[in-house]
Each structure stands twice: as structure tokens, then as C-alpha cells.
Amino acid sequence: MRALSFLLAVCLGLAALRFAIAALLIAVCVLLIWGALFYARETIAFLCVAVACGMMEHHPVVTLAALAVAALTTRKE
């Protein structure tokens, strides 16, 4: 009986954690929509940095090459 109550407590804890993560995900989505409406430039910059970080993690050589090409083509003289 003791093991059953422990298992039930663990399941309730995991369910509460899952609910908290879902609530945080909804809050992040709402904040992204809010940012897109009122702070478009900063929101787009944030999303671009997030995409660049993800690409750097999975494809570092391709990302560095793309950054080099962008730096060479947008250079002001």
C-alpha cells in the first residue's frame, strides 16, 4: 500500500509539472504575439538570433559560411 501511495504521489507530481510546462508554453506564445504587435523589430531580431543559434548548434560550418557571405555582401565602404 505504501508503494502504491508513493507511485500515486509521483504521478500527481509529474502531472503538475506537465501542467506548469504547458502554462509556460502558452505564456511564451502570448508574449511572442504581443511582441510582434507592439515591438516588431525587436521580436524579429530575437527570432533571427534564436534561429541562428539553432543552426549554429546543428550546422556550424554552413552557418559560419552564411555569416561570412552576409558580412561580405552587406559591408559598407
Side-chain angles (χ1 to χ4, degrees):
M1 193 58 116
R2 187 176 221 176
L4 186 62
S5 63
F6 176 75
L7 184 62
L8 182 62
V10 169
C11 288
L12 286 174
L14 288 175
L17 182 65
R18 182 179 173 198
F19 177 74
I21 290 172
L24 285 174
L25 184 63
I26 290 170
V28 166
C29 290
V30 168
L31 287 174
L32 275 174
I33 292 170
W34 177 271
L37 291 174
F38 295 105
Y39 303 101
R41 183 182 308 156
E42 291 85 358
T43 304
I44 291 172
F46 169 74
L47 291 175
C48 288
V49 168
V51 167
C53 288
M55 280 192 62
M56 191 66 176
E57 184 178 343
H58 295 288
H59 308 290
V61 175
V62 175
T63 306
L64 290 175
L67 288 174
V69 169
L72 289 174
T73 57
T74 59
R75 186 175 61 173
K76 293 183 181 178
E77 294 191 28

